[in-house]
Amino acid sequence: MKNHIIIYFAAVLFVFTSSLIAQENKENRFVDSLLNRMTLEEKIGQLVELVTPNSVTEKMLSNGNVSSILGIKDADIANELQHIAVEESRLGIPLLFTNDVIHGYNTTFPIPLAEASSWNPGLIEEACRIAAIEAASNGTHLTFAPMVDIARDPRWGRIAEGSGEDVYLGSVIAEARIKGFQGNDLKSKSSIGACAKHFVAYGAAEGGKDYNTVDISERTLREIYLPPFKASVDVGVVSIMSAFNDLNGIPASANYFTLTEILRNEWNFDGLVISDYNSIPELVKHRFARNKAEAAAKALTAGVDMDMAGDDMKWSVYAPHLDSLIKNKIISEKILNESVRRVLRVKHRLGLFENPYVDKDFYKSNMPSFSERKNTALRLARESIVLLKNENNLLPLKKHLQKITVIGELADNPHHPLGPWNTAPILENVVTPLDGIKNYASKKTEVEFIKGCNVEGNDRAEFDRAITAAKSSDVVIMVIGETREMSGEAASRTNIDIPGVQLDLVKEIIKTGTPVVVVLMNGRPLTIPWLDENVPAVLETWFLGDQTGNALAQVLFGDYNPSGKLPVTFPRNVGQIPIYYSHKSTGRPFNGNDKYTAKYLDVDITPLYPFGYGLSYTDFEYSEITTSKRNYNSDEIIEVSVTVRNTGLIDGEEVIQLYITDKFASITRPVKELKDFTKVLIKPGETKKIKFVITPDKLSFYNIDMDKLVEPGEFTISIGGNSRDVISKSIIIND
Ligand code: BGC
């Protein structure tokens, strides 16, 4: 019987592998036969992505000088341009239309950092599916997402666009997003290609200044910054974007080591690498190339296939220079051919040769209904909210209050909840915090709105009105934080306090004695020690997209019990940065008394809120980590379980986090690292047994020779509802 089963599975595997090989062969034959018929000019054309649709002329398309266009958001325009490429060019190679679909297309979901706070990859995947079909219906074939850069510096504005500080969480979410965009079938009309960006270590910019230099060891590169890209490649991402920054002296968009040795040779990535916007001519400004021709040569040779917005956004650097570089044998045509092959392969994989046009009828009958899309946006928005503080259970609010005063510019403005990098939002669909509070409060409750002050500037003219209104209210809800322009690309800040006079207004309102709930809207961790000390309830809502107000109100009034957890550490002040939970021990770990330990004189060593932190309206109690035994071999799978009890009075979802510490190793290792998590609903009084499986890979690290392995010895397994408050058990890996 056993033999039969083995034979059966071997046969299934054989058929599966054979069909993959057959598919690959077919793709290679198709690509090669096309490549063999291409002129040098046509080949170079396939490496050009233009940005401004207006700069694209009919002649360029019919000559085959353009491969891809960024920024078309209209099916008719897409079809019109595609028609020229397909019908009027010699070989009829279709155009690839790209866009930045970062957190939704028409339906705007929470910004990626917020979505990461949901710790719900399944729901993130669902949102990306919706974004994919909306984008595809408007002509998009490929999105420049997900951004999988690990970010440990909240001064960096682009922290808003990623999944935060953690390698494991970041990798799991990267996979979810790619699966969501690409679906099960890349050729399907409801799928679009994804692009993992920015390769690599862009998030490690010195001083948190956008575009800045990155200088990190190969170990840090491999342990922290590369894994989410590797996860993206393993899940089948079709493209990768090379970054703006220089990395250890070599710009990322001309870095042979990362683009060819690691990405192509080690990981076998056979998809497309596209440069970030204008990053090839910027090699000249890096003073790494003498001129644009040299920049083109260096980028192509390093492994950048496609040139985005090449010549200071006007045209391309590949187009005018590659021809003479090849004719003069400065670069070989073999390298060019390889890049063209990758472009054609991706176009083939996306089904563009079979279906180059937007089939509008398909979307008429296959687009999820508005209410389905809204529902996903609402579920994701409310799961992205993190309850930071809730003294004396001020929240949830009672529904039958007489009067609520809502204060803050951000409470009544539909523009800001969209966050940085929204794609084709529909402003009328945005539910502001004020709208949401009005929707959910009892009809008998008076809801008064007073702006009080703007996010920026010094105007205090409305302070008095706000104070007077607060005095006659049961509760005040203050929506404060950053404008949407204050995070995202080119939006780094050195001071990450609450901007303007917003905090001064909070202080005045607190003095009235009326209970205050602060609702934060922002794209990065802010330094908020005063709020933490003095305000009874604080909610981190980031930028939640269309459903901001409804999601917020559901949490405020207890229709939804908050379950979000921070994907990034909140510092006490800017001087603590970089601060992240998976730091090293040092030779002098802080011990509370001794002067000569790793600490600051002027601020506590701990963060304000640790990674993984977030409260609920109920409480969870963790007990009994069990493993089947204490000693394991290094290739064994370790099954772990823990019991979690909801000790409160209402249903609650808890994100149960598993961390691992390697107690001693030949290389210094972090104090703990997240290696698994699960989000479960637990009823009041209920106890759930949660099981995890630790595979050898989760215990491994790069040794001195950069080989990834498990070293025998003691490991601690820690489990809890955040990275700080955990229970632990140790196990031994045998020699
Ligand atoms: C950004 C990329 C983006 C590209 C195209 C660049 O400035 O760094 O993330 O995909 O523009 O819009």
Side-chain angles (χ1 to χ4, degrees):
M1 182 62 187
K2 207 169 158 196
N3 282 351
H4 281 111
I5 296 175
I6 294 173
I7 294 170
Y8 171 78
F9 280 112
V12 170
L13 191 68
F14 177 75
V15 172
F16 180 70
T17 325
S18 315
S19 97
L20 278 184
I21 295 172
Q23 253 178 44
E24 208 176 298
N25 286 343
K26 198 171 150 208
E27 178 181 279
N28 287 341
R29 276 199 305 276
F30 175 85
V31 167
D32 282 337
S33 90
L34 195 51
L35 188 69
N36 289 339
R37 284 179 285 142
M38 290 170 83
T39 62
L40 184 57
E41 184 185 355
E42 285 164 341
K43 287 181 188 174
I44 294 170
Q46 281 310 303
L47 308 188
V48 173
E49 160 154 281
L50 291 188
V51 172
T52 334
N54 301 341
S55 70
V56 182
T57 64
E58 201 167 327
K59 188 151 169 273
M60 284 175 185
L61 298 182
S62 55
N63 278 352
N65 295 138
V66 179
S67 178
S68 173
I69 303 177
L70 163 64
I72 304 278
K73 295 178 190 164
D74 181 299
D76 292 326
I77 300 179
N79 283 345
E80 217 174 279
L81 297 171
Q82 192 69 293
H83 187 265
I84 308 172
V86 171
E87 301 298 328
E88 294 173 27
S89 72
R90 199 177 69 88
L91 294 169
I93 301 175
L95 290 165
L96 173 78
F97 295 117
T98 66
N99 267 308
D100 288 279
V101 184
I102 310 291
H103 54 111
Y105 186 84
N106 296 126
T107 307
T108 303
F109 297 101
I111 58 166
L113 189 64
E115 291 184 347
S117 308
S118 74
W119 294 56
N120 189 340
L123 192 49
I124 295 173
E125 183 177 333
E126 190 179 313
C128 288
R129 285 270 66 217
I130 291 174
I133 192 165
E134 286 183 351
S137 73
N138 288 286
T140 304
H141 300 133
L142 183 118
T143 170
F144 291 141
M147 184 185 103
V148 304
D149 296 308
I150 297 297
R152 296 180 164 184
D153 192 331
R155 292 172 297 182
W156 190 50
R158 298 197 85 168
I159 197 170
E161 277 180 68
S163 299
E165 76 182 44
D166 186 62
V167 179
Y168 181 77
L169 181 64
S171 301
V172 170
I173 293 179
E175 286 167 9
R177 289 191 202 285
I178 293 162
K179 283 197 227 154
F181 290 131
Q182 298 195 169
N184 295 328
D185 173 12
L186 258 176
K187 289 191 182 339
S188 146
K189 292 175 186 166
S190 41
S191 295
I192 57 175
C195 177
K197 70 187 187 185
H198 307 83
F199 198 69
V200 55
Y202 181 42
E206 278 181 5
K209 185 167 66 177
D210 209 0
Y211 315 122
N212 207 8
T213 294
V214 174
D215 205 324
I216 54 175
S217 65
E218 186 182 337
R219 173 170 310 284
T220 302
L221 181 68
R222 288 191 183 271
E223 285 178 352
I224 314 296
Y225 295 96
L226 284 173
F229 286 98
K230 175 70 164 63
S232 303
V233 169
D234 289 347
V235 82
V237 74
V238 294
S239 66
I240 300 271
M241 186 184 291
S242 67
F244 288 128
N245 54 285
D246 60 327
L247 171 64
N248 303 339
I250 314 287
S253 287
N255 199 312
Y256 185 83
F257 174 60
T258 53
L259 291 169
T260 296
E261 286 182 12
I262 294 181
L263 184 62
R264 264 60 177 261
N265 300 348
E266 276 182 38
W267 299 353
N268 294 321
F269 176 68
D270 67 355
L272 162 70
V273 171
I274 181 157
S275 71
D276 202 347
Y277 207 103
N278 204 47
S279 66
I280 303 180
E282 285 170 20
L283 297 175
V284 177
K285 294 191 179 142
H286 274 288
R287 296 194 283 119
F288 184 75
R290 281 184 192 79
N291 49 45
K292 288 176 185 169
E294 199 176 296
K298 286 194 163 177
L300 189 75
T301 315
V304 178
D305 304 313
M306 193 181 270
D307 168 17
M308 186 204 302
D311 194 0
D312 291 319
M313 290 151 256
K314 292 189 282 301
W315 171 222
S316 150
V317 269
Y318 275 179
H321 298 298
L322 289 187
D323 181 81
S324 63
L325 287 166
I326 284 163
K327 285 187 180 143
N328 294 326
K329 305 221 173 329
I330 295 170
I331 45 181
S332 78
E333 191 159 351
K334 200 166 157 252
I335 291 184
L336 174 80
N337 285 347
E338 212 30 67
S339 285
V340 178
R341 214 175 252 124
R342 293 187 197 116
V343 175
L344 297 175
R345 189 181 290 144
V346 165
K347 289 187 174 182
H348 183 260
R349 278 184 194 166
L350 291 170
L352 301 190
F353 288 95
E354 291 108 305
N355 288 308
Y357 300 110
V358 185
D359 173 359
K360 293 211 244 171
D361 291 337
F362 173 84
Y363 300 102
K364 272 184 207 142
S365 40
N366 289 283
M367 182 65 71
S369 70
F370 178 67
S371 73
E372 281 173 87
R373 287 178 275 159
K374 193 171 128 184
N375 183 271
T376 304
L378 176 60
R379 285 186 293 128
L380 190 46
R382 67 191 188 188
E383 288 200 33
S384 303
I385 297 175
V386 186
L387 177 62
L388 296 177
K389 188 177 175 196
N390 193 20
E391 212 169 68
N392 301 327
N393 296 329
L394 173 58
L395 292 176
L397 299 175
K398 311 224 164 8
K399 284 220 165 147
H400 300 290
L401 298 172
Q402 284 199 340
K403 181 176 171 190
I404 300 175
T405 297
V406 180
I407 296 176
E409 181 192 0
L410 294 171
D412 188 33
N413 182 323
H415 169 82
H416 297 298
L418 293 169
W421 270 128
N422 48 67
T423 314
I426 301 168
L427 207 63
E428 306 82 74
N429 290 348
V430 178
V431 182
T432 65
L434 182 63
D435 296 337
I437 292 165
K438 285 184 177 161
N439 290 345
Y440 280 81
S442 146
K443 295 293 157 250
K444 293 191 189 120
T445 306
E446 181 196 346
V447 178
E448 182 176 5
F449 169 69
I450 295 175
K451 185 165 77 170
C453 64
N454 289 325
V455 171
E456 294 176 279
N458 300 318
D459 190 356
R460 294 164 192 260
E462 278 196 18
F463 270 34
D464 285 344
R465 276 189 61 215
I467 293 166
T468 310
K471 282 185 181 154
S472 63
S473 300
D474 298 304
V475 67
V476 177
I477 300 169
M478 300 195 67
V479 188
I480 59 170
E482 300 180 303
T483 64
R484 75 174 193 80
E485 291 77 15
M486 293 174 98
S487 59
E489 187 175 351
S492 294
R493 295 173 60 205
T494 60
N495 175 348
I496 53 170
D497 293 343
I498 306 275
V501 291
Q502 296 177 101
L503 190 60
D504 293 345
L505 183 54
V506 179
K507 290 179 180 170
E508 292 303 322
I509 302 296
I510 286 280
K511 281 190 206 154
T512 65
T514 303
V516 173
V517 180
V518 162
V519 173
L520 292 167
M521 201 189 270
N522 46 280
R524 54 158 65 77
L526 297 174
T527 38
I528 49 169
W530 194 93
L531 295 181
D532 179 63
E533 240 169 69
N534 299 286
V535 176
V538 183
L539 283 166
E540 175 55 83
T541 72
W542 313 107
F543 295 108
L544 293 175
D546 290 349
Q547 289 300 311
T548 294
N550 290 335
L552 171 65
Q554 288 198 354
V555 167
L556 287 172
F557 293 109
D559 294 2
Y560 180 74
N561 183 358
S563 63
K565 301 277 185 173
L566 296 177
V568 61
T569 304
F570 269 50
R572 292 175 186 276
N573 67 20
V574 84
Q576 283 188 319
I577 299 169
I579 180 168
Y580 47 90
Y581 82 93
S582 64
H583 58 84
K584 301 284 184 78
S585 294
T586 79
R588 294 186 175 193
F590 175 66
N591 68 12
N593 303 316
D594 196 347
K595 176 169 167 63
Y596 295 97
T597 56
K599 65 174 190 303
Y600 298 106
L601 290 180
D602 56 350
V603 70
D604 199 293
I605 197 66
T606 58
L608 188 63
Y609 303 116
F611 172 81
Y613 171 87
L615 303 173
S616 160
Y617 294 153
T618 187
D619 291 306
F620 300 101
E621 192 181 86
Y622 285 72
S623 57
E624 277 181 71
I625 298 186
T626 51
T627 52
S628 57
K629 50 185 180 173
R630 182 141 197 267
N631 288 55
Y632 293 85
N633 294 329
S634 61
D635 56 355
E636 265 187 279
I637 285 184
I638 303 163
E639 287 177 7
V640 187
S641 67
V642 65
T643 47
V644 186
R645 182 175 156 80
N646 179 343
T647 57
L649 299 174
I650 56 167
D651 287 5
E653 283 166 287
E654 171 70 329
V655 178
I656 297 156
Q657 304 161 36
L658 179 142
Y659 296 86
I660 288 180
T661 310
D662 190 343
K663 296 282 279 197
F664 169 85
S666 59
I667 297 290
T668 61
R669 306 284 303 130
V671 292
K672 58 168 83 95
E673 291 174 294
L674 181 75
K675 291 294 175 180
D676 210 345
F677 64 87
T678 181
K679 189 169 187 171
V680 287
L681 176 76
I682 310 182
K683 301 221 162 289
E686 188 190 4
T687 301
K688 275 202 171 157
K689 190 164 183 169
I690 311 298
K691 293 187 177 153
F692 292 104
V693 170
I694 303 175
T695 50
D697 186 55
K698 298 198 172 181
L699 304 180
S700 67
F701 68 98
Y702 290 97
N703 72 0
I704 190 81
D705 301 319
M706 287 294 167
D707 292 325
K708 209 164 182 229
L709 45 75
V710 182
E711 278 182 0
E714 187 180 349
F715 289 79
T716 308
I717 301 167
S718 304
I719 303 181
N722 66 64
S723 61
R724 182 190 58 201
D725 306 313
V726 291
I727 56 169
S728 301
K729 171 165 188 167
S730 87
I731 53 154
I732 306 286
I733 301 295
N734 295 329
D735 267 325

